[in-house]
Amino acid sequence: MMEIVFGKMQDQMSERMRQRPRLAKLIKRVFGYTLVGNYARALTFKELLDQLPLTEFKRIMDLGCGYGEYAFMLADALPQATVTALDINQTSIQNIERLAREHGMDNLETHGNTIDTLQDRDGQYDFIYSVDVFEHIKEEEMPFAQAKEKLRPGGYLLIKIPSREQLTILPEDWFEDHHDWLEDEHIGQVYELEDLENRMKKEGFEVVYTAYADGWWSRLGWELGYLSHKAGPVWQLLCLPFAKSMVWLDRLVHRRKNGNTIQVIGRKRA
């Protein structure tokens, strides 16, 4: 039976955790995954994977893999598939390569450049996903067309990004530094769900699934996690169980009519 587990190697990926490995293992055992935003993101991604015939896939791409947590998750769960972790951050790619060697993950490969430089792979991928990456790219430069070229006919493209309009609960001036970061980094946070769906259709995909995620309760969990992280590691750990419970509660009560994230799955026409 396929088991998809997120965050198995957080203690080995986090530079701070690697400095105190014994303490990191204890924290992991007691609290589980410690970053609330990534935790919520992973729950949403796993829900999206339920919409796909994962066991049929032979070649998968993590487009903008970051630390590689999803690439490791899928390479571990799908030994029959080859997973390509692609990112322009060379440090991330080097760390992914190191961990893949240490754990004997022969089905995890890397590419430290943009998708258009991935040579001789047109029409080879069954599934390409990009989780919270396209919002960092100008709208006209988002690589929908390049991803389509790499997919086989009938292959799937999954895009998850923050929605243009964000639900907020606590006073916004408590998050002023985060808003400053967003203005510089989220140059592509320009879509609501219908916009992203239309963009996928415009690029020649058949849309097979759309959804909002991360409503009010999830937002509260993220806000508490963010503020406690700023307050220091002790406060972060003390607040973590409650913040994660808010994320779970959101999955139970959210009606998906709006939310802070949008996700669309498209299929390349045969």
Side-chain angles (χ1 to χ4, degrees):
M1 182 177 178
M2 180 179 62
E3 184 180 16
I4 299 178
V5 181
F6 174 73
K8 274 187 178 182
M9 292 190 285
Q10 186 194 10
D11 56 324
Q12 301 168 61
M13 292 179 173
S14 167
E15 184 176 347
R16 185 168 67 175
M17 284 186 160
R18 289 203 307 269
Q19 292 173 359
R20 298 184 177 180
R22 291 183 180 178
L23 179 60
K25 288 182 180 180
L26 176 62
I27 291 172
K28 180 181 177 182
R29 187 177 300 117
V30 175
F31 293 96
Y33 195 86
T34 61
L35 299 177
V36 175
N38 288 1
Y39 176 76
R41 189 178 294 123
L43 289 181
T44 299
F45 182 53
K46 290 175 68 175
E47 291 172 357
L48 292 168
L49 293 178
D50 290 339
Q51 309 299 321
L52 297 163
L54 279 184
T55 56
E56 299 176 10
F57 296 158
K58 300 299 182 184
R59 189 171 285 279
I60 297 169
M61 182 193 299
D62 186 334
L63 177 55
C65 64
Y67 294 118
E69 290 173 300
Y70 303 121
F72 280 114
M73 181 179 78
L74 289 181
D76 184 47
L78 302 170
Q80 84 283 357
T82 298
V83 179
T84 302
L86 183 150
D87 204 280
I88 61 173
N89 187 311
Q90 297 302 314
T91 300
S92 292
I93 291 297
Q94 290 168 9
N95 287 334
I96 292 168
E97 291 172 346
R98 173 182 58 82
L99 285 171
R101 287 193 303 269
E102 292 175 358
H103 290 268
M105 286 189 169
D106 297 332
N107 65 328
L108 179 58
E109 61 182 28
T110 62
H111 184 71
N113 210 322
T114 54
I115 185 173
D116 55 293
T117 64
L118 191 60
Q119 302 297 325
D120 303 323
R121 294 288 178 85
D122 288 359
Q124 292 193 18
Y125 286 89
D126 302 293
F127 176 40
I128 296 175
Y129 63 89
S130 188
V131 178
D132 289 353
V133 175
F134 277 35
E135 69 270 21
H136 297 278
I137 305 171
K138 292 179 180 179
E139 183 178 11
E140 64 273 14
E141 297 175 2
M142 293 176 179
F144 287 94
Q146 294 89 332
K148 184 181 176 185
E149 288 180 359
K150 303 303 178 189
L151 286 168
R152 65 165 176 79
Y156 296 86
L157 174 65
L158 183 160
I159 304 296
K160 176 190 177 299
I161 56 175
S163 52
R164 182 177 60 243
E165 302 299 327
Q166 292 285 294
L167 310 173
T168 60
I169 298 175
L170 298 176
E172 292 196 24
D173 57 0
W174 293 7
F175 306 93
E176 187 173 347
D177 52 348
H178 181 66
H179 293 321
D180 291 341
W181 179 84
L182 289 177
E183 287 185 10
D184 292 333
E185 287 291 328
H186 281 200
I187 56 177
Q189 190 174 328
V190 296
Y191 293 142
E192 288 297 325
L193 184 59
E194 185 178 359
D195 304 320
L196 181 58
E197 181 180 356
N198 289 337
R199 176 69 188 268
M200 192 78 84
K201 291 177 180 177
K202 181 181 177 181
E203 297 288 348
F205 289 91
E206 174 192 2
V207 173
V208 298
Y209 183 82
T210 68
Y212 277 102
D214 296 302
W216 292 105
W217 290 109
S218 185
R219 175 67 188 193
L220 179 59
W222 178 87
E223 289 181 350
L224 293 174
Y226 181 83
L227 294 173
S228 64
H229 181 75
K230 288 184 64 177
V234 174
W235 281 106
Q236 181 184 3
L237 291 176
L238 289 175
C239 290
L240 185 61
F242 181 73
K244 290 170 76 172
S245 71
M246 293 299 97
V247 173
W248 267 107
L249 177 61
D250 194 79
R251 265 70 192 161
L252 297 176
V253 303
H254 187 211
R255 298 184 181 276
R256 309 299 174 97
K257 294 181 179 179
N258 59 12
N260 282 340
T261 62
I262 54 177
Q263 33 273 324
V264 174
I265 301 174
R267 182 166 53 207
K268 182 177 177 177
R269 300 182 188 278

